[in-house]
Amino acid sequence: MDFSSDNRMGVNPEILEALHAANKGPAGAYGHDDMTRSLDQVVGDFFGTKVSAFPIISGTAANCLPIAASTPPYGGIACSEGAHILRAECGAPEFFTNGSKMLPVAAQSGKMTADALAALLAAYPASNTDTTVPAVLSLTQVTERGTVYTLDEIAALTRLAHERGMTVHMDGARFANALVTLGCTPADMSWRAGVDVLSLGTSKNGTICGEVVVFFNPDRAENFRRYVKRAGHMMAKQRFVSAQVVAHLANDLWRHNARNANAVARRLHDGLARQEQVTILHKVEANIMFVALPAACVQALRAQGFAFHTVGQDAVGQPVVRFVTSFLTTEGDVDHLLAAISKACA
Amino acid sequence: MDFSSDNRMGVNPEILEALHAANKGPAGAYGHDDMTRSLDQVVGDFFGTKVSAFPIISGTAANCLPIAASTPPYGGIACSEGAHILRAECGAPEFFTNGSKMLPVAAQSGKMTADALAALLAAYPASNTDTTVPAVLSLTQVTERGTVYTLDEIAALTRLAHERGMTVHMDGARFANALVTLGCTPADMSWRAGVDVLSLGTSKNGTICGEVVVFFNPDRAENFRRYVKRAGHMMAKQRFVSAQVVAHLANDLWRHNARNANAVARRLHDGLARQEQVTILHKVEANIMFVALPAACVQALRAQGFAFHTVGQDAVGQPVVRFVTSFLTTEGDVDHLLAAISKACA
Amino acid sequence: MDFSSDNRMGVNPEILEALHAANKGPAGAYGHDDMTRSLDQVVGDFFGTKVSAFPIISGTAANCLPIAASTPPYGGIACSEGAHILRAECGAPEFFTNGSKMLPVAAQSGKMTADALAALLAAYPASNTDTTVPAVLSLTQVTERGTVYTLDEIAALTRLAHERGMTVHMDGARFANALVTLGCTPADMSWRAGVDVLSLGTSKNGTICGEVVVFFNPDRAENFRRYVKRAGHMMAKQRFVSAQVVAHLANDLWRHNARNANAVARRLHDGLARQEQVTILHKVEANIMFVALPAACVQALRAQGFAFHTVGQDAVGQPVVRFVTSFLTTEGDVDHLLAAISKACA
Amino acid sequence: MDFSSDNRMGVNPEILEALHAANKGPAGAYGHDDMTRSLDQVVGDFFGTKVSAFPIISGTAANCLPIAASTPPYGGIACSEGAHILRAECGAPEFFTNGSKMLPVAAQSGKMTADALAALLAAYPASNTDTTVPAVLSLTQVTERGTVYTLDEIAALTRLAHERGMTVHMDGARFANALVTLGCTPADMSWRAGVDVLSLGTSKNGTICGEVVVFFNPDRAENFRRYVKRAGHMMAKQRFVSAQVVAHLANDLWRHNARNANAVARRLHDGLARQEQVTILHKVEANIMFVALPAACVQALRAQGFAFHTVGQDAVGQPVVRFVTSFLTTEGDVDHLLAAISKACA
C-alpha cells in the first residue's frame, strides 16, 4: 500500500482511451496538430480567460521553462526556503535560467509570509545598479508542507512582487487539490489573485505526463516555444500529451480525482489525530501530511509493506514521515494504515 | 498523404497496448520501476554488450544530454555542417552544455569526411592551452541528407576522434533505418565501430516518445541522471516511456517498421528516377530523399493535398523538396505520389 | 576621511614603480612573459610549496574562476550564508559555473561552524543519484564580519569537505590581514589547513589590480587558462598585473600594509569600546568592524565628511555601520574619527 | 624585433603618468570615481554624440559583454566566418551569452558581404517560431585579415541587421587604425554607419588595459553594469583603467600611435611588393598583413630573431605569416625586416 507519492500511481483509464483516440493518421509535429492547437481554448475555458497554454512532460520543466522565460541572466527567483524548485531539482532553475539567482524566502509551514518577502526584496533595492534584480516570485500551491495558501495570502504576495515588476509564477503540481480545498474557481486561485504564469500539474492527479504551462497574458508567451525547443521539451508527437490534458479537464475528471485524494487524506488526518503517539506537524489542507511517529512504529509499518518517505526528525528525535494520498487511494487503504499505526503504536 | 516527416505518423498498436499493460498499480517514480530497471538488460541484449540505458522523450534531449555529459565548458562539439543539432534545434546543444562550442565539419551529401574532420581538429591543436578542446564528435546515422555512413566510414571518423580523446556520439534518430540498409548488427554500427554513446530513436519509427540514451561504457553514465533531472527530463512515471521502448524492441517491431519505410522509399526513388524532369540530389539509402522538381509540379502536388517540406532551391532555381516515408507508408501511397508527379511534370 | 572600504584607497608607490619597470620592450602576450612566468616561483616561495599561480584583475573573478573550474554543472558551492560571493556579486558564481547551486551554510559572526556544514552536507547525501553534489567549500578569510577563522576552525571545515571529495576554496581578499592577526605562515593558513585553491587578494592591500589564483596542487590547474580565456580575464599585457603581484610580495610590502591596517583598526576598536553609546557587534580581529551607533551620531559623522557604509539596523533599530581601515589609514585618522564620535554621541 | 602582435608592445609614457596622477587619495570604488564618471563625456566628445561608456580590461570582455547584453538566450550572433570572437576566444561569446548561437557568415578577405549576410538571415526566417533569432551582428574593424570596411560596406550590413531588429556590434580592437585609414570621423565609422555598440580598443594602441564599451544609445546600457559585475569585470579601482582611456584620447595620442603603425605597415607592404618570392594575400589597409614566403625564408627570419606568427599555408604549400606593426615600430625596424627578407629570399 503506497503513501509515498501521488506520482507513483498509474493513470485514469480515460487517459489511455484518449491516447487511442489521438492515434488517428498523420498530424502536424511539434504542436502543429489540432489537439494541441485546441489547448488555448480548452485551458482558457477552464480559467475563464484568454491564455496561451503549452503541454510539457514534467513538472520540473513546466516550472523552470516559464521561470527562465521571465528572468534576465542577472535576475533573481524568490521562493520559499523549502520550495521544491530550490531543494529537489538538482539545480534545474539555475540550469534553465543559465545561472539566475535563487532567493530563498523564510516560510512557515511551507508558506512565505508577506513580511518575509518584503524583507528579501528590501535587500535587493531597485536603486542598486550592481545587484541581482528580483525578477520572479514562485509560489507552490499546494505548498511543499501540505498547506494551502488562502486567496488573500496569494494576493498579498503577488502585490509585493508586482510592485517590483516581478513575474508571479505558481507551481501548481497539486493545483487541483488546492482548488478542491478552497472551493474557489481556477480563475480565483490564479490570474485573479495575481498569478502571471502557472504550471498546472496533471500527472500527480491521473495522467501519464500532461503538465501545462499557462500564460494568463498571452503576449508574454511570444518566444516561449524557443525555450521549449532548445530544452528538448518540444516533443514531436505532442498530440499525445495534449490529448491527456484535454481528457483530464473534460467531465471534471480532475475534480473527481482531487476530491478523492483530499477526502481520504482528511480521513487519514482525523484518524491520526486520535492517536496519542502521533504528532501532526502542519495543518493538513490537501492530500499531503507530515507526521512524527515513534521509530518502532515506522519500522513496523515498513515491515508490513507500507510505502512512504521518511523526511527527517522532529525536535525530540522522532522520525517524521510524509503520507500522500491520491486519486486511487481508497478509504479501505486509509483504514488499513490507521489500524496498522494504532497497533504499532499501542 | 503525408511525406513530410516520419514524426507526424501515429504509433503502432503494440505501443498503446504496452501502456495499458504498464498501468498496473503503483510503481517507483523517476525510473525506479521494474520496467525502466529492465532497460539496461533489454537494450544491452539488443546491442550484445553491457550498457547503461536511459529513456528520454525527445530526440533533442536524447542527443544533447549525453553530449553535455561528455564535454567540459571549454569543449567543442564537432558535427557535420548540416547536422540537425547544429541547424534545427534553436541552440539546444549550446543550451545543454551551457555554451560549449559547435565546430562544423565540411560534409558531402550529409557525411563528414575523415579529411575534413582531421582539418578541423588540426585547427584546435592539443598544444594550445588557451583554445577550445574538441570534446565530442557527433555523427548522424541516417544522415540529414538521407545517406548512410558505411561501417568503414564510421570507423575512420571515430578513430580520429579517439586519438584526440573525444567522446563519439551518434544521433540515431533513424538508427533502425540505417541498420536495415547496412544489414549489419546493432553492435557493428555502434560500439564496434567506435561509438561511445548513442541516441537511439524510436519515435520516428512507431512509438509516441521513447528515445534511448545508450552508454556503451556504463562507467561514463555515472552522473548522467543528474543531467537528466536538472533538465526536466526525469519524468515521474517513466515506466510509460520505458514500456514503449521495450515493446518497440520486442519481436523485431523496430525492424519490421524500418524495413517498410526503406522499401517504400526505394520504390519511390526508382519511380522518380524514371521521371525526366526530376533530379534526385543525394544517394537514397534509407527513408529520406531530396528531389528537385519543377515549381509547377510542386504546386500541383500541394494542390492535391500531398504534404512534404520544401527545403530550398537547386543551382538552377528549381525547388528542392524532401520526401520521407515511414512504417505506415504503403506502396499504394507511393504509387499515388508517383502518378501525381508523372502527371504534373508531363 | 574614508573608512568605507580598503578598495577605495590608492596604491603603494612601489606598485607604480613596478609598472614602469615592466614597460621595457615587447613581451609575450597572454601571460607568456617573463614576469608572469615567474609567478609560480614567487608565489610558491611565499607559500613554501609548489603552486600554479594566475594573476587576475578582480576579486570576483579570482574567486569564481577557480570555483567554476572545480565544480560540475550539477555541483553545489557551500559557503557562509553571509558570504560575499553569495550576497554581493550579482550572481557571479552562478554565472561562472553556468548554474551550479549555491548552498548557504549557517554562520556565526561570519564563520561557518563545522556542525552547520555537516548538516548541510547531510541534506545532500552521496547516495542520492538525482541531487546536487556538494563540490566546493568556499571560506572567506578574513570573514565578511571582520572575524578570523583559527587554524583549527579551518581544518575542521576542510576535513568535512574533503571527506566528501569537495574542493576547498578560500576567498583571501584580506588574506594578509588574517595572516598578521594569526601570526602564522601563509602555508599554515592555506594548504596545511586543507585549502586547495586560494584567491589571494592584493588590491585591498595596496595594488591596483593584482589578485592571484593559487592552486596548491598544480595538476588541478591543467585547464584553468581556458576558463580564464573564455571569461575575458586573460589580459593581453599580463606582465603589468604580474609585476604588481611581485612588487606586493617583495620586501614584505604586503605585511607592512596589513600590519598598519590591523593596528589602526585595533586602535579604533579600543577607542570605540570606551564609548558608552557604541556597540561593537562582532569580534574585531582584522581591519573591519561593525558598530551600532545612535542615528544622530551617524548623521553628525556624515555631515563632517566621514565616509563609511551603513549596513542595516541592530535589534533595537539603531543604524549599524561598517568601518574599514587600510594600509594608508593613520593613527591620526582614527583619533579624528574617535573624537568626532565621542563628541557626536555625548 | 617583434612583428607578432601589437598587444606585445609596452605602453606610452603618458599612460603611466596618468596612473600616477590618478593615485591621489581615496576614490569611489567600482566606477564611482570622478575619472570614470567623466568617461561618458570624454568618449561622447570623441564620437560627437551622447554615449554610455564603460572601461573594461580586455578585448574579449569588451566584445562579449555588450553582445551578451544584446541577445536573448535563444538569439544568434552573426559574424564573419573568420571573426576573432568565433575562432580565437575559447568560446567566450557562448560563455558570456550562456549559450547563444554563433552564426558564421561567409567572408572575403575578412569582410562579410551583404549578400552572404542576407543569405544567413534568410535561413532563420522571422516566421519560424522554433528557431534561433538572429540578435546581434558583430563586425570587426580593422578585420581579422587586415582589411578595412568602407563606410558604405558597413552601412549595407547594418541596414540588413536593423531590418531584422538586430543590434549591431563593432569589434574595434584596431578602431584607431581603421579611422586613420579611412580619414573619417569616429562618428562616421560608428553610429552614423549604424553601429549600436562599439568595443573601442586602446590596449593594442598604447595602453595597458583600457578597452571601452560604448553604447550610442545610452538607454540600452540600463542593466549593463550587472553584466559587468557578475562577470568579474567591475574592477574595484576602476579609476586606473579610466585614466588610461582619458590619456589615450587626449592630445590625439591615439591618432599619433595609429598613424605610425599604419605608415610603417605601408612601408613594409611596399617593400614586400617589390620582392618576387613574396605573395601578399589580402589588401593591406591598416597595420596587419598576411604574406606567403618560401619556407626557407621563414626559417632564416626566425633564426635572426624576428618574431611573427605563422598562420597556415597557401594553396601551393608555402607558409603564410602575419606581420603586425605598432605605435612603437620604426621605419628602421621595417627596413631591417625587408633587408632580411630580401637576403633570405634571394
Side-chain angles (χ1 to χ4, degrees), chain A residues 191-222:
Chain A
W191 59 276
R192 282 208 189 108
V195 175
D196 298 305
V197 62
L198 169 71
S199 306
L200 173 63
T202 73
S203 68
K204 288 184 165 70
N205 198 27
T207 69
I208 294 175
C209 59
E211 316 296 279
V212 194
V213 173
V214 187
F215 287 91
F216 294 108
N217 181 342
D219 290 348
R220 296 200 185 195
E222 192 189 348

Side-chain angles (χ1 to χ4, degrees), chain C residues 116-148:
Chain C
L117 177 58
L120 182 278
L121 296 180
Y124 293 92
S127 59
N128 184 335
T129 60
D130 292 357
T131 199
T132 299
V133 174
V136 175
L137 170 67
S138 180
L139 302 168
T140 312
Q141 178 81 317
V142 178
T143 76
E144 289 80 3
R145 295 292 164 268
T147 54
V148 173

Side-chain angles (χ1 to χ4, degrees), chain A residues 160-184:
Chain A
L160 283 171
H162 287 155
E163 282 169 15
R164 283 294 292 276
M166 299 168 76
T167 297
V168 177
H169 163 260
M170 180 175 275
D171 175 348
R174 296 185 179 91
F175 190 84
N177 302 87
L179 268 188
V180 164
T181 298
L182 294 184
C184 65

